[in-house]
Amino acid sequence: MGKVTVIKPFALPKLVLQFTVLPNPPNEIITDITRRMFSFIWNNKPDKIKREQLCNQKENGGLGLPNISLFMNSIKAGWVKRYLDKNNQGQWKIFISKILEKRWKHSF
């Protein structure tokens, strides 16, 4: 439980910035991050329990370790939510709207 507690506040915030502003990394990088994370948890030894079990919430018998792929996708989905929010009037929204308009017109 201690190593999961270390990963969540110290390693994941470093990934949040990368996943937020950069395009999705290749699957090999996500696999490598996941492999290193579990290698850290198990001291470079084989996994003792299934990875899915570790990622389950505590009330379901897991430790709440985030699944990196799902974590990355949820961060990206947050941008869609902010874009669709009518109360959000940021300048970035105008820029994205122009790009989407151009792509929408050229796709038909």
Side-chain angles (χ1 to χ4, degrees):
M1 288 194 317
K3 289 189 177 185
V4 172
T5 305
V6 169
I7 288 172
K8 288 169 97 174
F10 296 113
L12 289 181
K14 301 215 182 289
L15 295 175
V16 168
L17 176 65
Q18 309 308 317
F19 291 157
T20 302
V21 298
L22 298 175
N24 288 349
N27 287 335
E28 296 83 30
I29 292 176
I30 299 300
T31 303
D32 186 52
I33 292 170
T34 303
R35 183 185 54 77
R36 289 173 187 252
M37 188 170 61
F38 283 100
S39 179
F40 169 72
I41 290 173
W42 298 116
N43 293 324
N44 296 319
K45 295 178 183 169
D47 295 0
K48 307 272 190 252
I49 60 174
K50 287 186 176 184
R51 293 180 176 192
E52 297 90 32
Q53 185 63 33
L54 273 178
C55 294
N56 280 339
Q57 296 302 314
K58 290 182 181 181
E59 52 271 0
N60 295 330
L63 294 178
L65 183 68
N67 177 314
I68 297 297
S69 294
L70 296 177
F71 180 70
M72 178 182 59
N73 289 337
S74 68
I75 290 171
K76 300 292 185 187
W79 280 106
V80 174
K81 181 182 172 193
R82 285 188 286 278
Y83 179 75
L84 296 175
D85 181 6
K86 295 193 184 314
N87 295 325
N88 188 339
Q89 298 297 320
Q91 294 293 322
W92 65 271
K93 199 170 178 180
I94 297 168
F95 178 72
I96 297 296
S97 294
K98 295 293 182 188
I99 292 172
L100 291 175
E101 281 178 23
K102 286 181 183 178
R103 288 188 180 177
W104 183 260
K105 287 178 184 177
H106 289 25
S107 65
F108 290 105

